[in-house]
Structures are given as C-alpha cells and as structure tokens.
Amino acid sequence: YNARDSKAVDEQSCELNFCPVQDSAGKGFTEHPKGNKPVIDLCCGLSRLFFHKSINVTLLHIEDCLVQFILNNKEINTFLPPGTTLLDFIRYEQHLHGTKIGCREGDCGACTVLVGTLQQGSIHCRSVTSCLMPIGNAAGKHVVTVEGINNQSLTPVQDAFVQEGATQCGFCTPGFIVSMTGHCLHEASSTHERCIDAVNGNICRCTGYKSIE
C-alpha cells in the first residue's frame, strides 16, 4: 500500500502499473484528476499494492513484456528485461555453460550460438555472438547452443575436431564448433575457403589455427 492516503486492496481488483514516470514524491505514478484506481506498482522491479485518490496509470498488457523463444529443445517464456543479453540468459538463467564469456564485445567468438528463423517454410540458421544480442531479439526464434547441436554422439564437425586435435585448452572450442555447424547448415555448397571464412570471427590462442584449418 501507499503510506499516503492509502488502503489495502484486493489483488483481483488491481491493475498493473508499468509506468516509469514518478510523481513529485517519487512514488512511481503520475497524478490525474479522474478516478480512484487500485494499482499493482511494478516500477523499479518492485511489486507493491497501493491505492491513491488521484492516479493516472499508463497500462501495458503483461503479455507485451513476455519474451518467447525456443532454446535448444526447450520453450522459453521469460519476463526478464528484453535488453538482457542472450549470453547472460543462457549461462545464468539456464545454466548452460558451454557458451563462454570472453570479450563481451563480439570480437572473440567464444559466446557464439545459432539463431534460426522461419523463412518460407524452412529454418534459416546463422551464427551470432550472444554477448551482443538482447533476448528481445530472440523472440519467436530458435536459439541453439553447443549443448543443443548433438544428441548421443558427436556431430561430423565435433568428430573432425577430435580427429585433427584441433583443441587445446578448449575454451574457444564451443564457439568454433557452433560457427562451423552454422556454416554447414546454411551453405548449400561449401568450399574450404568458405569454411575458413565462417570462423574468421573466432579467436584461438592455443592451437595456432593450423589444426583447426
């Protein structure tokens, strides 16, 4: 409740206040000469019930703040701020640690994931750096991490890395695997040069790249 001219209200009779505008007292609402509306105030991440005689509320449907997408084989429905990076969501909310935190600037490729969109009846996948992608941009799409690209056995890309000894410390490996997998899914006809170009955004400090090549 609001300590100023307030009373407790029943949640069923409340409306949602998602308006960031504050009044002079900083209570998270703007005044309006009409109406006495009970409100659930969600400003600044707080949920509190209050009633005030002069309230003007900018209402947003709660569904407008819901971000929905598919992560690997899991349907995601989250009310986290849409500006939350996909990298942080994957690691801290879903506890999928194969996607690494590197530069957080989109330069090293350690956080690479696949993002699939439906185009003309088929899924078009591309590799993206999840440290730069907000989860709001993932809405309606299929996000695949390194944990989601294989089932019970290694994929051809993973197997090739094993056979060629193309990993050392392993920190950058998931990003390389995902980038190459995206290349194989996207390109109808692949060449050696195109495959090399597909991982030009992935950095490795250990192998010298020759084994990866």
Side-chain angles (χ1 to χ4, degrees), residues 53-210:
K53 287 185 177 180
S54 55
I55 293 178
N56 173 31
V57 180
T58 301
L59 294 176
L60 296 177
H61 294 295
I62 196 66
E63 292 83 1
D64 292 340
C65 304
L66 176 65
V67 178
Q68 296 176 300
F69 61 96
I70 297 174
L71 177 61
N72 296 331
N73 61 349
K74 179 181 180 181
E75 183 177 346
I76 299 296
N77 298 279
T78 179
F79 289 101
L80 285 174
T84 303
T85 65
L86 186 58
L87 172 61
D88 287 341
F89 181 82
I90 289 170
R91 289 184 58 88
Y92 300 134
E93 300 296 327
Q94 298 301 308
H95 309 292
L96 298 172
H97 298 144
T99 305
K100 305 302 184 185
I101 298 175
C103 64
R104 284 192 178 273
E105 296 179 349
D107 292 330
C108 71
C111 67
T112 303
V113 298
L114 293 179
V115 176
T117 56
L118 187 62
Q119 298 180 7
Q120 298 179 345
S122 61
I123 299 295
H124 176 80
C125 293
R126 63 187 181 93
S127 59
V128 302
T129 48
S130 60
C131 68
L132 298 181
M133 181 176 179
I135 60 173
N137 287 2
K141 299 175 182 177
H142 186 192
V143 178
V144 181
T145 68
V146 68
E147 292 92 344
I149 65 173
N150 64 312
N151 294 318
Q152 298 180 352
S153 60
L154 298 179
T155 67
V157 173
Q158 291 173 322
D159 185 63
F161 262 70
V162 173
Q163 297 302 322
E164 297 298 328
T167 183
Q168 191 164 324
C169 79
F171 185 84
C172 69
T173 304
F176 274 94
I177 295 291
V178 173
S179 293
M180 287 189 178
T181 301
H183 168 75
C184 293
L185 291 174
H186 178 62
E187 293 289 348
S189 59
S190 178
T191 65
H192 182 73
E193 289 73 20
R194 287 180 177 177
C195 190
I196 296 299
D197 187 61
V199 294
N200 63 11
N202 296 82
I203 295 176
C204 177
R205 295 183 177 182
C206 301
T207 65
Y209 297 103
K210 294 307 295 183

Side-chain angles (χ1 to χ4, degrees), residues 9 17 22-23 30 38 123 162 201:
V9 293
N17 173 17
Q22 293 187 336
D23 68 349
T30 54
I123 299 295
V162 173

Side-chain angles (χ1 to χ4, degrees), residues 10-53:
D10 182 81
E11 185 173 354
Q12 297 298 321
S13 64
C14 294
E15 292 180 289
L16 290 172
N17 173 17
F18 233 78
C19 180
V21 179
Q22 293 187 336
D23 68 349
S24 58
K27 295 299 182 180
F29 57 86
T30 54
E31 296 190 356
H32 191 277
K34 298 180 181 179
N36 300 321
K37 295 182 180 181
V39 177
I40 300 177
D41 182 12
L42 298 180
C43 293
C44 303
L46 301 176
S47 297
R48 57 183 183 270
L49 297 179
F50 65 83
F51 180 90
H52 193 273
K53 287 185 177 180

